[in-house]
Amino acid sequence: MLRLLHTADWHLGRRFPSFPEEGQKKLSRARMDVVERILDVARRNAVNAVLCAGDIFDDPDPTPDFWEGLARTFQARGDHHPPVFLVPGNHDPLTQESVWWPSHPFRARLPRWVHVVDRDDFIFEISSQAVLYARPCRSKAGQKDLAMDLPAREAGDERLRIGCVHGSTFDVQGYQTNFPIRRDAGVVRGLDYLAIGDTHSFRDVTVDLPVPTVYPGAPEPTSFDEAGAGRVALVALFRRGLRPRVDSEAVAFWKWIDVRCRDLNELRSLMTRPELDRHVVRLHLDMTVSLSEENEVERILRDLRGTDATHGRVGVLVEHLDGLRLTVGSANVFPENLPAVLKDTVARLDRLVAEALDESAKSRATRALAHLYKLLQNHDATGRQDL
Amino acid sequence: MRLHRLRITSFGAIESVDVEFGPGLNVLYGPNDLGKSTVVAAIRLGLLLPHMSTHGEQYVGWTGTGDPTVEITLESEAQRIWRVRKQFGRAGSSMLYESRNGRDFDEAERGRKVDGRLREILRWGIPEPGGAGASKGLPTSFLATALLSPQDDVGAVLKNSLQEDSTTSGREQIAAALQAIAQDPLFVDLLRETQARRDSAFTDKGTKKTAKGSVFKAAAERLNETRDEKERLERIVFDSEAAEKRLGDLIERRTGKLAASAEASSHAESLERLASQALRCSVAEGEVRLAQEDLGRIQRIETETEEAERETERLAKRIVTAEQVLNEARGRQTEAEASLKTAEEAAHAEGSDSGVTDTVVRQQLELRTAGADHAVVEAQQRIDAVTAAQKLVDDASAMESELQDLETTTRSAVETEAHVTAALEAAEEELRRCDVVEHALDTQIADKRVAEAQATADKQSALKDRLENVSAERAGLARRHAAITVPPQSALGRMRQLETELAAARGALNVGLTVTVTPKTPVELRVRKDGEDLEVSLNLQPLDIEGNAEIEVNIGDAATVHVRGGRREAQENAKNLEDRWSREIQPHLAAAGVVDLAGLDDRSREAQELESGIRAKDRELESLRAQAAELDGAAEALREASERAATCRAALGDIALDAVASDLENLGPDAVAGLRKRRQQSSKVVDAARATANEAANERVVLDERLRQSRSTFAVAVAARDGALAAFAGGLESELTAARGALKAAVDGKAEIARAFASLEREIDARKARIDAALSGARTNVEQAVAGFETAQAELTEAKTTHAATHGGLLALRRQRDAENIPAAEARLREAVAAHAALPVPERLVSEEQVLAAQNAAGEIKVQLDGIDREILEAQGALKQVGGSVAKERLRDATEAFELAARREREIEAEYEAWKLLLEQMQEADAAQASNLGQAFGPAIAGRFQELTRRRYEAVQLTGQLATEGILVSGAVRSTERISVGTREQLSTLYRLSLAEYLGSAIVLDDQLVQSDDSRMEWFRALLEEKARNFQILVFTCRPGDYLDKKAMAPKGSAVYSDTDGGFVRALDLSRALRRR
């Protein structure tokens, strides 16, 4: 029996520009960290080979931090390791400027058991009874079906034949220019397993065909709409003609979730959710709060996101506060014993709210009231007790 | 604001004055009419009046020399020192200088701008010159009045207020000063924080700060960055989608074109097939028709022959019958003639001789007639035979002519085919030429690559040579290094120490020795001194031997005396050290081949230098190897390039590159594209020529077939003709002429015989008429017999003539029939029919034009398809460049980032707009609360006023605009007009002093307290001295004693001023400082 670990779409070096700066770093680093876990899974399952079906890097020429880091991760595994095959994908195509090019220093740092698919006729005998065929992407877009470019099974060849390419199967939008893969390419080419990469969710594209064609998905999700991401595929091939068994195992550190809070209680309950520190949370606030409640909202948000001095409860927080609305006007939340000039200020702002001709002016005056309220709260907190 | 210095020239009655003010109370004194108020006016004009104002004319010097000039140096705030210099008058000027240290001044403004800037610095509520609310004369305002009030209007400040100010700067300055002391501390804290928030985002003028570090700037920069990135990616995605769409469109077009091409090709092939089928059918039909015609013709000959035979046989029978009938008729005639003869003989009496003669003549004529008839028949038969032969000749001639036409057409078709083939060959030759040019181009490119590869290989070779040389050099250095055996540097230190110790130990032994040997008998003395052997001859003289450390005397065989210097410990020490030297050092010296440590040092240095050299060589080797490694594939590349060049050259064959040089040059700058274009054009020409050649070949094949058929038919006709002509050796014409002659002669003969008969008959008739009566019976019988004979004779003649004609025709037909081969013709027909039947029947008939049009249409679509394929390749290439789904994914991220940044910017803007609004509202609330500056300011004045007036007055009532409503006396407000002049001027002075104190500004008091009594003046003097520590006060007075102690006055002499009270009180004698005209 031949055991394989099939992974893809590591996207090392990927940026997350829509995230807070600290979150960007965490997510970027997580992509490096997951490689260790993938190799651990490979070791635990005593696989015969590790197949990385493209998009290992997010860019063909990532900054040295990433390729040096990956090389170090490999080097740290020593000299004896099942072979690892790295296939250039459409994000990191094999070009002269890419890390895959034989003259790139990355290549020199790779252990002998790491094999880069840098030829259009790549073939590797995993064992006397199993052979791997792989093809690299050479550009960021292309119409060539790399799976169909693999050689067909020759008569009398009874070995297990595994294919490994990067591209989109025909049921994926935009497949025409993203290295389209025929759904039955594995069957047509006489393969026993076709390892592919591109889509970030785990999926067996050909459950009704004798040859599994599998997307293992990204080992760490890259967005909130990748429900099946965060896994690797473990493939057991028994003998030719018998459909291989494909399982998946979770390796991701981060879970990406969308949370929508429609009132303060929901927001409060978010605080009690377990393992928030391993979550990337996109928080949508859709609620109307008073000035005093807004203070609590801000406090909860501060707790969730953290400050310069404290860690946030949430690993990475993305705030969508467009839906957070304030009750208009002061609504009698200010203390009675304010100095007259401050009472006058509040009254003036209330008047502006009442007389506002548009929502913008009303919102501005309400926001000013909120500022004043917060100033007073902070002032209280810093020692003034006479209010 | 504080005044530092004042310089005036040509100003009214003053010729010049130059005074420096102290920081506190400055009492400028002098007698009446000295010009003190003019000095005050000069300060006012210097600070407030534009130099071109006509108001300045009243201060033109009394002597009229020079324009009035004022120069004031003032400090607006710490380290902001200004010097304003104004020369009034039409030719006047203004200059404003700025300094940080009061010594070095830089020009800040000049001309008209000076006053605008000054008013900005002073903030006294005076508008910019020329602006809204600007006055034409000396501008004034509440603060200008309060701080620079003239002597003649002491109570002016009590009558004025901020209400009249044209700008709010004075009010704002006072408000700011008063608020600082009047506001609630909480409010102040919040206001300060709000102000800080607001100021972090907005400028003083309320516009957004865009400088680096501002919140808007950071958000805008982030927004711009994300927008730029988004737009960049949008462009890429746009390009990508455009490329994808173009590719999609092209593929769709290609699919459509493929279908159209298939359809057009199918249509063309169908038409070609139909045309081919039609052609083959036509040819087969022609063959069938020819075979049928041939067989029909042969069958007709056969039938005609059989019919002719039957007719001939019938006619032969008819002749026999006719001959029998004739013989019978002749018998009857003979009988009748015999009867007639009898009758005639009977009638001979009437002339039997003539009767006999007539009979003879008639018989002769009848014989001649029969001969003539026979000749006619024969001639007619001959004519018929000749005519039949002539027809065969004509048929053959017609066929020959037709054959010749066909041959001409075929030759023409062959020529056309040859011509077209030649054109096709030329076109194909051009295509082959393209191949040659391509091979040449490949060869040229391959040669170039070979040259490049050769250069690389040469470089590699040079590198290898260099590598070998350097390796050899390194090996040499290594050998030299290996040959040197030296201890490590660390050991050398220990050796030197040992050497030093040994030298010291030896020094301890080196004490100086003298040994005297006195031989008793001659003995051979061998002396060794300090390691050196000395030969000593034999004698008996005492021998003194002097040494340093060791002397050894060998006395013959008797004894050896060994004397060593030093103590035993020293000797042992030296011995140990020498042993160590021998054990530890000597082997190294021996190994290094040197005798001492200096030598060892040299060798060690040499070894180090060699090591250094080896390392240098190693580095060079490493560098060379790296360079060589980069060129590792050079030989392989050269080999591949050479193979490629050889392959290209082999493909090129014997053709020299020079032979195609012009072709290569004509390909243009992009030779590959040029060649591709040329090949496409050639391919088009070849396709067209090939189509034409096929057409010509088809036509030629059809014509050949027709020619073959014609030739076959013609051969048959010629055989028939020749068969027919064989019977006419003299030729048809002569035969026909002869036959016609014979026929004519026979016909003429018959006519002549007929005429002779007629003549004879007429004679006979006449005679008969005479004899008839007698001979009528006999004659009738004879006539009947003759008639019967003649009928039989005519029948026989006709039968024979017909038989002859028929027989002639029969002979011709038999010859024709014999020349034909019916089975062969039948077989040909069967074959032709079978071949025709075997051919598919075209569904419909198509013209050559239709086939050509279909082929052209298919070719056109093929060309379009090729164009689309090229475009697809281009689009695929473009798509590879633009990124496809990668760019889309990044655009998605960039769009999210942009939206986040935009949201963030909106939030920040809303946030800070709210801060701005809050600040505005707080300030407005504060202004409204303080509303009145009077509430804040009033108590300060009131306190002092109460003190001054010993609480006679309770308070001073000020409005929000600092207008003085009155003073509070017993709870009632009393107008200031109702208090005494002295009290009013004191109140006014207190008001002004209080204001100046709050503002921290200099104030000019021009003899303000002339109506005050001594006690109040004393109170004021103390007040002024106290306040002199807080702000600058300039008092102009003619009674300095009111303000100064005597000791504080400027001493007699040249000193203009004197400072007391730690410099806070300056007495300034204007009479000395000022020069009047």
Side-chain angles (χ1 to χ4, degrees):
Chain A
M1 183 178 72
L2 184 77
R3 295 185 66 83
L4 302 174
L5 186 148
H6 170 200
T7 177
D9 297 280
W10 293 357
H11 288 282
L12 303 180
R14 184 185 171 92
R15 306 289 178 192
F16 297 87
S18 59
F19 286 75
E21 196 172 339
E22 184 60 28
Q24 291 187 32
K25 287 178 184 169
K26 284 182 182 176
L27 296 176
S28 193
R29 289 170 191 149
R31 315 209 72 74
M32 297 295 293
D33 298 341
V34 78
V35 178
E36 290 276 10
R37 291 193 293 280
I38 291 170
L39 296 178
D40 285 345
V41 171
R43 179 176 47 74
R44 276 202 308 275
N45 288 276
V47 301
N48 298 88
V50 177
L51 312 181
C52 306
D55 289 355
I56 287 106
F57 294 102
D58 196 54
D59 192 84
D61 183 20
T63 54
D65 285 347
F66 293 100
W67 59 258
E68 284 174 353
L70 181 61
R72 271 198 303 275
T73 302
F74 285 141
Q75 285 165 353
R77 296 274 159 171
D79 292 335
H80 301 290
H81 196 277
V84 172
F85 299 93
L86 306 178
V87 179
N90 63 332
H91 271 265
D92 54 353
L94 172 64
T95 63
Q96 277 198 339
E97 297 75 29
S98 69
V99 290
W100 308 121
W101 204 250
S103 58
H104 196 282
F106 172 61
R107 294 292 301 274
R109 298 198 190 180
L110 292 175
R112 281 183 299 110
W113 43 268
V114 176
H115 304 273
V116 173
V117 176
D118 58 358
R119 296 163 57 95
D120 291 329
D121 56 352
F122 185 89
I123 180 169
F124 190 93
E125 283 200 351
I126 299 171
S127 72
S128 61
Q129 289 306 309
V131 63
L132 171 72
Y133 299 93
R135 297 289 180 268
C137 289
R138 286 186 176 271
S139 59
K140 290 188 174 178
Q143 292 182 296
K144 189 174 185 181
D145 185 337
L146 296 173
M148 288 303 292
D149 199 38
L150 300 174
R153 184 186 287 274
E154 290 180 2
D157 185 354
E158 293 299 317
R159 296 175 299 175
L160 289 169
R161 301 175 85 246
I162 296 111
C164 185
V165 296
H166 186 89
S168 296
T169 45
F170 280 35
D171 52 349
V172 177
Q173 190 181 8
Y175 72 87
Q176 296 92 334
T177 55
N178 191 23
F179 300 100
I181 296 173
R182 256 177 73 160
R183 199 168 156 276
D184 58 350
V187 177
V188 174
R189 282 292 173 256
L191 300 172
D192 295 289
Y193 180 75
L194 179 55
I196 61 175
D198 190 54
T199 297
H200 290 186
S201 295
F202 181 89
R203 193 154 65 95
D204 184 349
V205 183
T206 55
V207 285
D208 53 345
L209 291 178
V211 179
T213 299
V214 174
Y215 285 116
E220 279 288 357
T222 60
S223 70
F224 291 97
D225 53 3
E226 295 170 355
R231 314 185 77 80
V232 294
L234 288 165
V235 188
L237 295 102
F238 306 100
R239 60 178 167 78
R240 190 193 158 198
L242 189 60
R243 196 175 201 278
R245 178 188 171 87
V246 182
D247 296 315
S248 72
E249 183 165 332
V251 291
F253 177 85
W254 293 103
K255 287 182 183 169
W256 294 50
I257 55 169
D258 259 312
V259 176
R260 184 172 295 275
C261 295
R262 291 180 177 77
D263 58 43
L264 199 50
N265 284 333
E266 286 184 358
L267 183 60
R268 289 177 187 131
S269 68
L270 176 62
M271 299 281 283
T272 61
R273 197 162 179 152
E275 290 195 320
L276 270 180
D277 59 335
R278 296 188 62 159
H279 280 70
V280 180
V281 177
R282 183 160 61 187
L283 177 62
H284 304 264
L285 294 188
D286 186 9
M287 60 175 82
T288 301
V289 294
S290 67
L291 297 183
S292 56
E293 286 173 332
E294 196 216 11
N295 228 25
E296 185 179 355
V297 169
E298 291 215 338
R299 184 182 54 72
I300 293 174
L301 289 177
R302 208 163 41 244
D303 279 357
L304 290 173
R305 82 167 79 95
T307 66
D308 287 346
T310 59
H311 290 291
R313 289 186 184 227
V314 175
V316 178
L317 181 67
V318 182
E319 299 164 30
H320 283 232
L321 307 181
D322 287 358
L324 177 62
R325 297 167 296 278
L326 287 170
T327 309
V328 293
S330 60
N332 300 320
V333 296
F334 288 92
E336 285 297 320
N337 58 345
L338 278 182
V341 65
L342 288 175
K343 281 184 179 171
D344 188 19
T345 303
V346 172
R348 283 167 184 274
L349 289 169
D350 272 336
R351 221 167 22 248
L352 285 177
V353 169
E355 293 168 359
L357 296 176
D358 54 41
E359 281 303 316
S360 157
K362 189 180 286 184
S363 165
R364 187 167 163 243
T366 302
R367 175 60 51 195
L369 281 166
H371 285 340
L372 182 56
Y373 185 80
K374 269 178 273 184
L375 282 177
L376 285 166
Q377 294 293 313
N378 292 341
H379 201 267
D380 279 353
T382 52
R384 237 187 97 110
Q385 301 298 325
D386 54 342
L387 285 178
Chain B
M1 190 267 283
R2 181 162 74 86
L3 299 179
H4 282 205
R5 185 174 182 178
L6 173 68
R7 296 171 73 184
I8 303 169
T9 52
S10 303
F11 197 91
I14 300 172
E15 185 179 333
S16 69
V17 65
D18 182 357
V19 291
E20 289 185 13
F21 302 110
L25 174 63
N26 293 268
V27 181
L28 295 90
Y29 58 90
N32 286 331
D33 210 22
L34 176 66
K36 297 187 293 298
S37 294
T38 305
V39 173
V40 173
I43 294 172
R44 195 176 296 118
L45 263 63
L47 294 177
L48 303 178
L49 188 69
H51 69 265
M52 73 292 285
S53 171
T54 53
H55 182 80
E57 289 173 3
Q58 58 186 296
Y59 295 100
V60 172
W62 290 2
T63 57
T65 57
D67 289 329
T69 303
V70 178
E71 183 182 290
I72 302 170
T73 305
L74 60 95
E75 186 173 358
S76 59
E77 54 192 287
Q79 296 187 332
R80 295 296 300 277
I81 301 166
W82 307 87
R83 176 173 292 160
V84 57
R85 186 175 191 281
K86 287 184 181 174
Q87 183 179 339
F88 296 94
R90 288 181 181 171
S93 63
S94 295
M95 294 295 294
L96 180 67
Y97 304 91
E98 184 179 9
S99 172
R100 296 265 174 199
N101 56 19
R103 294 185 299 278
D104 309 312
F105 284 86
D106 297 320
E107 181 180 317
E109 297 289 357
R110 62 165 59 211
R112 292 170 184 273
K113 292 183 177 176
V114 167
D115 287 284
R117 186 70 182 276
L118 261 179
R119 290 168 196 189
E120 206 175 283
I121 295 165
L122 295 172
R123 295 188 293 151
W124 283 356
I126 299 174
E128 269 191 55
S135 63
K136 290 194 180 299
L138 179 66
T140 187
S141 68
F142 176 71
L143 272 180
T145 302
L147 300 176
L148 297 177
S149 179
Q151 183 185 20
D152 56 2
D153 194 1
V154 174
V157 72
L158 301 179
K159 292 180 285 186
N160 286 352
S161 76
L162 290 165
Q163 193 74 42
E164 290 79 29
D165 279 6
S166 299
T167 75
T168 59
S169 63
R171 186 182 193 285
E172 285 166 2
Q173 191 179 180
I174 296 168
L178 289 178
Q179 278 170 3
I181 58 165
Q183 288 161 342
D184 179 274
L186 171 63
F187 179 77
V188 171
D189 284 352
L190 301 192
L191 186 68
R192 190 186 306 116
E193 197 161 341
T194 306
Q195 181 81 50
R197 295 291 184 97
R198 181 264 185 209
D199 290 349
S200 69
F202 297 98
T203 64
D204 292 344
K205 291 181 179 174
T207 55
K208 289 179 186 172
K209 277 187 178 173
T210 53
K212 193 173 179 183
S214 82
V215 287
F216 291 128
K217 179 71 174 174
E221 280 178 352
R222 176 67 185 149
L223 186 64
N224 287 338
E225 278 171 18
T226 54
R227 181 190 290 115
D228 290 348
E229 179 64 4
K230 174 173 158 280
E231 288 175 353
R232 185 182 72 80
L233 287 165
E234 278 174 343
R235 284 194 294 276
I236 291 174
V237 169
F238 178 80
D239 290 346
S240 181
E241 287 179 343
E244 280 180 21
K245 183 173 184 317
R246 182 163 171 247
L247 196 55
D249 291 346
L250 285 169
I251 289 169
E252 198 173 325
R253 275 177 60 200
R254 184 164 172 266
T255 307
K257 283 291 172 195
L258 278 173
S261 175
E263 193 176 336
S265 297
S266 168
H267 181 57
E269 283 170 10
S270 169
L271 291 183
E272 284 169 1
R273 181 173 48 77
L274 287 172
S276 172
Q277 284 175 350
L279 180 61
R280 286 201 298 278
C281 279
S282 172
V283 170
E285 280 173 0
E287 288 179 354
V288 169
R289 191 168 57 249
L290 286 171
Q292 282 175 337
E293 285 175 2
D294 200 26
L295 183 61
R297 185 178 54 74
I298 295 170
Q299 284 173 338
R300 275 197 305 280
I301 291 170
E302 187 74 21
T303 307
E304 285 173 6
T305 304
E306 287 172 357
E307 284 177 358
E309 282 174 343
R310 283 196 299 275
E311 185 65 16
T312 302
E313 192 177 343
R314 188 182 65 77
L315 286 171
K317 287 178 181 171
R318 184 179 165 192
I319 287 169
V320 171
T321 305
E323 281 175 348
Q324 286 174 350
V325 170
L326 183 62
N327 288 335
E328 287 172 0
R330 187 176 290 129
R332 281 192 301 272
Q333 185 182 358
T334 303
E335 286 175 0
E337 282 171 353
S339 299
L340 181 58
K341 189 175 177 181
T342 302
E344 282 174 343
E345 284 173 355
H348 189 60
E350 291 177 330
S352 60
D353 292 343
S354 56
V356 173
T357 304
D358 288 342
T359 304
V360 170
V361 170
R362 187 176 286 122
Q363 287 177 339
Q364 287 175 340
L365 286 172
E366 286 172 352
L367 286 170
R368 282 178 60 198
T369 298
D373 287 343
H374 185 71
V376 166
V377 169
E378 282 188 342
Q380 190 58 52
Q381 285 176 341
R382 284 175 64 196
I383 286 170
D384 289 345
V386 169
T387 303
Q390 186 60 49
K391 186 173 181 301
L392 291 173
V393 169
D394 290 345
D395 287 349
S397 295
M399 283 185 190
E400 188 174 17
S401 172
E402 190 181 338
L403 181 60
Q404 284 169 351
D405 288 347
L406 200 52
E407 283 175 341
T408 305
T409 307
T410 306
R411 274 197 301 278
S412 173
V414 169
E415 285 171 7
T416 302
E417 185 184 12
H419 179 69
V420 169
T421 305
L424 175 59
E425 284 172 359
E428 286 176 341
E429 179 57 29
E430 170 59 14
L431 207 51
R432 283 193 292 277
R433 185 71 177 171
C434 286
D435 291 340
V436 170
V437 173
E438 185 173 0
H439 293 321
L441 186 59
D442 288 346
T443 306
Q444 203 177 43
I445 293 168
D447 285 349
K448 192 177 172 189
R449 288 190 180 145
V450 166
E452 289 169 0
Q454 186 60 55
T456 308
D458 290 347
K459 190 177 173 188
Q460 188 190 32
S461 174
L463 277 172
K464 281 182 178 169
D465 291 345
R466 178 71 187 139
L467 253 173
E468 286 173 7
N469 290 339
V470 175
S471 295
E473 288 167 9
R474 189 204 180 275
L477 292 174
R479 278 195 300 278
R480 285 176 58 196
H481 183 263
I484 298 172
T485 307
V486 288
Q489 281 293 319
S490 55
L492 276 173
R494 290 198 302 275
M495 289 180 184
R496 284 193 201 93
Q497 188 180 352
L498 183 57
E499 184 183 34
T500 307
E501 287 175 8
L502 183 58
R506 282 177 175 161
L509 300 181
N510 196 8
V511 296
L513 301 171
T514 303
V515 175
T516 302
V517 181
T518 308
K520 302 286 188 189
T521 60
V523 64
E524 183 183 352
L525 294 177
R526 297 186 62 83
V527 177
R528 183 176 171 82
K529 183 180 74 176
D530 292 331
E532 291 180 9
D533 291 335
L534 296 176
E535 289 289 341
V536 180
S537 57
L538 292 170
N539 61 47
L540 295 173
Q541 294 299 315
L543 176 64
D544 287 337
I545 306 164
E546 290 183 11
N548 292 324
E550 183 179 11
I551 295 172
E552 187 180 294
V553 182
N554 196 332
I555 307 168
D557 296 329
T560 297
V561 178
H562 197 163
V563 181
R564 289 189 292 274
R567 302 175 68 82
R568 180 166 297 277
E569 294 82 8
Q571 286 176 357
E572 285 175 356
N573 183 35
K575 175 83 168 59
N576 288 338
L577 288 171
E578 278 173 350
D579 287 348
R580 277 185 61 198
W581 179 267
S582 300
R583 195 171 59 249
E584 297 175 11
I585 311 296
Q586 205 58 47
H588 289 295
L589 296 178
V594 297
V595 295
D596 53 17
L597 283 183
L600 200 56
D601 277 343
D602 291 343
R603 297 295 275 168
S604 179
R605 272 196 297 279
E606 189 184 352
Q608 283 176 356
E609 284 167 5
L610 286 170
E611 278 176 7
S612 171
I614 288 167
R615 281 196 296 274
K617 292 297 176 193
D618 283 342
R619 283 195 296 275
E620 189 176 357
L621 279 173
E622 191 179 350
S623 165
L624 288 170
R625 284 193 187 109
Q627 291 176 47
E630 286 175 6
L631 303 176
D632 256 356
E636 182 64 15
L638 176 58
R639 188 185 61 72
E640 286 175 1
S642 299
E643 284 176 4
R644 170 74 182 144
T647 306
C648 293
R649 206 167 284 287
L652 191 57
D654 299 334
I655 299 164
L657 272 180
D658 291 345
V660 289
S662 60
D663 291 87
L664 290 172
E665 281 175 14
N666 290 338
L667 292 176
D670 185 352
V672 174
L675 179 58
R676 191 185 304 127
K677 189 174 174 187
R678 183 173 169 182
R679 185 183 288 285
Q680 285 165 356
Q681 288 170 346
S682 300
S683 294
K684 278 186 192 171
V685 173
V686 166
D687 289 344
R690 194 166 284 148
T692 310
N694 287 339
E695 189 183 340
N698 286 339
E699 189 173 352
R700 200 229 344 121
V701 167
V702 171
L703 286 170
D704 279 349
E705 184 57 30
R706 284 182 185 163
L707 186 59
R708 191 182 65 74
Q709 293 292 339
S710 292
R711 277 179 180 152
S712 170
T713 308
F714 177 65
V716 170
V718 166
R721 182 198 66 187
D722 292 348
L725 285 177
F728 304 103
L732 289 177
E733 282 293 328
S734 61
E735 187 66 27
L736 185 61
T737 304
R740 282 176 178 160
L743 180 62
K744 186 171 183 299
V747 169
D748 289 349
K750 275 181 75 174
E752 189 182 347
I753 291 166
R755 282 192 301 275
F757 258 120
S759 173
L760 181 61
E761 288 302 324
R762 278 191 305 272
E763 285 178 10
I764 290 169
D765 287 343
R767 200 179 303 127
K768 274 183 180 176
R770 283 186 311 272
I771 299 169
D772 275 346
L775 297 175
S776 59
R779 285 180 181 162
T780 301
N781 291 334
V782 170
E783 285 172 0
Q784 287 176 342
V786 168
F789 177 75
E790 286 177 348
T791 301
Q793 186 67 46
E795 173 65 19
L796 179 61
T797 303
E798 187 186 351
K800 284 184 175 176
T801 303
T802 306
H803 179 268
T806 305
H807 189 253
L810 177 62
L811 290 174
L813 286 169
R814 281 180 179 157
R815 280 195 298 276
Q816 283 185 32
R817 185 192 63 191
D818 293 344
E820 299 295 343
N821 184 351
I822 285 184
E826 286 174 342
R828 279 204 301 278
L829 178 59
R830 278 196 303 279
E831 286 173 7
V833 168
H836 181 261
L839 287 175
V841 179
E843 296 158 2
R844 59 188 174 92
L845 293 177
V846 292
S847 66
E848 290 180 3
E849 289 76 14
Q850 285 175 311
V851 174
L852 192 60
Q855 286 171 337
N856 287 343
E860 181 68 25
I861 292 173
K862 176 87 169 44
V863 170
Q864 290 172 0
L865 201 54
D866 290 345
I868 291 171
D869 282 341
R870 282 195 297 278
E871 285 185 56
I872 284 175
L873 285 175
E874 287 171 10
Q876 284 172 336
L879 191 61
K880 283 181 180 179
Q881 302 301 317
V882 292
S885 63
V886 177
K888 286 177 194 164
E889 286 172 26
R890 294 204 169 137
L891 175 59
R892 190 186 63 190
D893 289 349
T895 303
E896 280 181 18
F898 169 71
E899 287 168 355
L900 181 72
R903 207 163 53 233
R904 183 71 191 132
E905 193 195 37
R906 286 196 300 274
E907 286 170 4
I908 287 173
E909 186 164 348
E911 186 86 356
Y912 283 93
E913 285 292 344
W915 281 116
K916 188 177 168 190
L917 178 65
L918 176 60
L919 180 68
E920 288 166 3
Q921 296 307 310
M922 289 175 83
Q923 286 173 334
E924 283 183 19
D926 184 35
Q929 285 297 313
S931 106
N932 72 64
L933 296 174
Q935 284 184 6
F937 188 47
I941 304 169
R944 293 196 179 106
F945 195 51
Q946 284 175 359
E947 191 181 334
L948 176 69
T949 59
R950 300 178 189 277
R951 303 202 176 275
R952 182 177 176 187
Y953 303 106
E954 295 166 15
V956 178
Q957 192 82 22
L958 301 179
T959 70
Q961 300 297 327
L962 294 185
T964 310
E965 289 181 324
I967 52 177
L968 210 58
V969 182
S970 304
V973 177
R974 181 180 292 182
S975 165
T976 54
E977 295 298 325
R978 293 176 62 187
I979 57 177
S980 71
V981 174
T983 305
R984 195 162 65 239
E985 73 178 24
Q986 289 152 14
L987 176 61
S988 166
T989 302
L990 279 177
Y991 192 151
R992 294 175 62 201
L993 283 171
S994 297
L995 202 52
E997 183 177 17
Y998 283 127
L999 296 179
S1001 173
I1003 182 171
V1004 176
L1005 303 175
D1006 186 6
D1007 264 349
Q1008 293 285 295
L1009 298 167
V1010 293
Q1011 303 293 335
S1012 301
D1013 58 31
D1014 288 344
S1015 67
R1016 289 195 178 180
M1017 272 311 298
E1018 186 64 28
W1019 183 87
F1020 258 107
R1021 191 171 71 186
L1023 177 69
L1024 290 175
E1025 284 177 357
E1026 176 195 336
K1027 296 303 172 188
R1029 298 177 184 278
N1030 299 337
F1031 61 102
Q1032 189 182 42
I1033 305 165
L1034 273 57
V1035 174
F1036 290 80
T1037 181
C1038 56
R1039 294 182 293 132
D1042 288 352
Y1043 299 94
L1044 299 166
D1045 287 339
K1046 282 189 178 177
K1047 290 184 283 185
M1049 306 284 269
K1052 300 284 185 188
S1054 60
V1056 175
Y1057 67 84
S1058 157
D1059 288 342
T1060 55
D1061 197 13
F1064 283 106
V1065 177
R1066 174 168 291 186
L1068 222 157
D1069 187 354
L1070 263 187
S1071 61
R1072 278 184 256 171
L1074 185 150
R1075 285 205 297 161
R1076 286 180 59 88
R1077 294 179 186 273

